[in-house]
Amino acid sequence: MSTTEPNLSISNPHPEDTDVIQKIALVVACFGVLILLAAWANIALDASVFMPIAIISMIGGTTVYGARSYLKQPEGIKNNGVWHFSLTSRGAFAWAVGILLTGFYVLLYWFPGYVGFVQNGENQGLVALFDPLSMAIKGRPASQWFMYGTLYTIAILALGMKFIFKYRHSRYQLIRTISVMIAQLVFAYTIPEILAALNYNDVTTSAGEYVGYYDTDIKNVWPLDYDFFYSYHLDAMQEKAYQPFGMIYLVVGIGLFLIGTPILTYFIGKRWYCSWVCGCGGLAETAGDPFRHLSSKKLSAWKLERWLIHSVMVFVFVMTAVTLYGYFTGASSVFGLDIYSKFQKPYGFFIGAIFSGIIGVGFYPMLGNRVWCRFGCPMAGYMGIIQRFKSKFRITTNGGQCISCGNCSTYCEQGIDVRAYAQKGQNIVRASCVGCGVCSAVCPRGVLKLENGPEEKRYDLPPIIIGNESVKISE
Amino acid sequence: MHNIVIIGNGISGITTARHIRKLSDHKITVISAETDHFFSRTALMYIYMGHMKYEHTKPYEDWFWKKNRIDLKRAFVEKVDTDGKTLHFSGGETMTYDKLVIATGSKPNKFGWPGQDLEGVQGLYSYQDLESMEANTKNISRAVIVGGGLIGIEMAEMLRSRNIPVTFLVREESFWDNVLPSGESQMINRHIKEHHIDLRLATELKEILSDENGRVKAVITGAGETIQCEFVGLTVGVSPNIEFLKGSKIETKRGVLVDPYLKTNIDNVYALGDCAEFLEPNGERKSIEQVWYTGRMMGEALARTLCDKPTKYEPGHWFNSAKFLDIEYQTYGWVWAKAKENEGDFYWEHKNGKICLRLRWDKSTGKLLGVNNLGFRLRHHAFDKWFKEGRTVDYALEHLKDANFDPELYKTYEAEIIAQFNRENGKNIQLKKKSWKRILDFVS
């Protein structure tokens, strides 16, 4: 239908549905964002007053807005108008948000000065707004990464609340979303900041000597956390001043990759990571939820996906092998190739920054919320191989009940053509499935169930869909 | 190699085409006047509601047809000449065939109401109906839907998704109560009202009134009430879409008459899906089956017949599903609106009033006959197997956990259900733990 009209509302394309409380909540949330923009524009604000106001407004406003929008409707699937609404159907609003996000990442990565970060001086703008919070937690001014981490956490919490109201009828979605919110707030944000506050990380001595930094987000597992084996990182974890935490993070980090990941993925699929704890997944499932239907379901996209994700995986393996070779031998090059400039730097630039950040998040409104997870993430690639070949996880198809409507495929953020399996009565066993469970939720006929069961008969293709006795299988 | 021509690119025609291709090298042509490609008719509502676009409702990408050598032709068949084995299209073009398959589906019923052909009055079946509904419901202040069946409630949901006030005229005392037993039907009545749909039970349409431009401006109900509206949805069932066969030698009654092989009275001419009418109905089934699943099963059978493996259409145990606004419905086996004399009846409803289970069994043998489940999901394989093995209602309840198909982490109701059953029937059934071994046995 080409007769749809552009609409600029946020979750419901019919503004007459918006009541006073919703409007006030929306204004409050926008006010929070406005404070950010004002701070960015270097308008003089007392950060210790306006920073908490901004945070409370954004989380509170979004929560109340989500609650009002969804709680006054009966429980159920809330996808009305998704393809009519400018923001969620690649309209002008979507382009504006995409450009804004992309620009933000470019500045964050390469021009932090433009967001207000000042090395060895007083921060300005957006970063300065978060100075009081950073001072309160760890007694030093904010960096652009502290600002980013705080905003990232706010996004997951605020839009996670909205998601909870939207899917309140689904206990799977409810518990899963609480899990990603806690994982972000506790493991990715609070614990790392506390460790830094207690001088177990990121310490500069009174003599002005920098002791080192290591990643204290325990669930950020190599190879997603691609610099885990960089020498600065390995050294920092072994720093005397950081013990016992440095060694714990080293051992747990390696253990999670080598033992934890394969075991968990065998028993429950890669979803334990991708849609229950991962930070990238956490943002995709909350802030990215309105864009999940934008992923391409074409066969050609699947072909591209298989090449791309496994190439990135090979790249990170080679880069890390070379890095470790350098670390243990002290060499700075292999086969005449400089380890930093030929391996680490290109990976960090092309994969770490451009792919996972700019395309991964900046392009949410264009390509969907899981571009990085589907086409790039080496952790997802690694778990995908386990999930495809050696796992108990599958999406079971409920006999002959599929009506080929296409909701499952449309709302699969990973671009899996779920319907192609369901309409054949075949279970879905795919490397890329992150187990978000939305296909099962949007199915109007109760056809799909994510479950862990015996590997036997996991992906048999039935010779004929049940319910039809015309064709005897013995023939 | 035969030249097989299929009229109609819905689920029946396309399933036939796909299975012919799996089994043979015959030349296959699929003709449609509706759309270039196969789409899921059941998903039309989601296009209007903005959940999907048309392209998402196509189960196969557009390259699929060429790759599988299924020729697609966009044309309207006006006349079928079975003697000359020739189709005549509107516009004068013709096409010959060796074997013909008629899979032209349905059209919405109209029962001769005054004003039924006014602007803004329509049914909902085809893609074109969807397009006109899009145009007809622009900026309207009220819609009236006539007919309390599956399409009626879908249409109500569609209109409500755009905040259009809806009055829903249902002739019966309770929604779809010729199919649903009272508990289920009343649950849906309540749910319809919860969605702010003005449900009028036991209310018939008498007349549709026109404004000065030939557009609907109001309806008058059987009780004489006038309801202002700018749109009327007529959803009082569908009938076989076979007008183009008038004057051909193919025998028809309400639908195209077929034998168990889906063959018509003319050699090499077959019909299936919504438009076919069985000379001998299958068991308890209707002589015209207007269901997605049955169209698909007929296609699977017919493709074999056309590939020289004569195969009767022999559907197994009945199953069906629907979604009433937010409440999903599945059914396996036969659950009649009223239990027959020899049938035991059990109904459990969750205290939230949105989840229920009904079981029917043969009182003399205890054998399970059918199940309705609303608001939660059950495994098709489990019930199909239990029916085939002649399991009793007690057995089904004992193993209800094996049949649960709700998403993980959902609350389960088996214990509550069985407690009520035991209480009402003086039994002592004990719930068994879920067993993967038994679940895998369902599938074999």
Side-chain angles (χ1 to χ4, degrees), chain B residues 140-151:
Chain B
I140 63 170
S141 59
R142 177 163 295 275
V144 169
I145 294 170
V146 182
L150 296 177
I151 299 179

Side-chain angles (χ1 to χ4, degrees), chain B residues 241-277:
Chain B
N241 173 30
I242 53 168
E243 247 161 74
F244 71 104
L245 294 177
K246 266 186 195 155
S248 79
K249 292 186 175 168
I250 301 167
E251 260 179 30
T252 64
K253 217 161 96 188
R254 279 176 58 215
V256 182
L257 291 168
V258 294
D259 69 10
Y261 293 89
L262 301 160
K263 198 176 91 50
T264 67
N265 60 314
I266 310 281
D267 280 346
N268 296 315
V269 178
Y270 302 81
L272 79 166
D274 277 21
C275 70
E277 179 172 358

Side-chain angles (χ1 to χ4, degrees), chain B residues 291-329:
Chain B
V291 181
W292 176 270
Y293 309 118
T294 52
R296 189 190 69 206
M297 288 191 257
M298 290 181 211
E300 289 163 354
L302 179 57
R304 296 173 60 84
T305 301
L306 293 169
C307 295
D308 305 318
K309 295 178 183 173
T311 303
K312 281 187 191 170
Y313 166 59
E314 289 178 285
H317 293 280
W318 174 258
F319 67 96
N320 201 359
S321 68
K323 191 173 180 187
F324 306 110
L325 299 156
D326 297 314
I327 298 182
E328 289 173 22
Y329 155 72

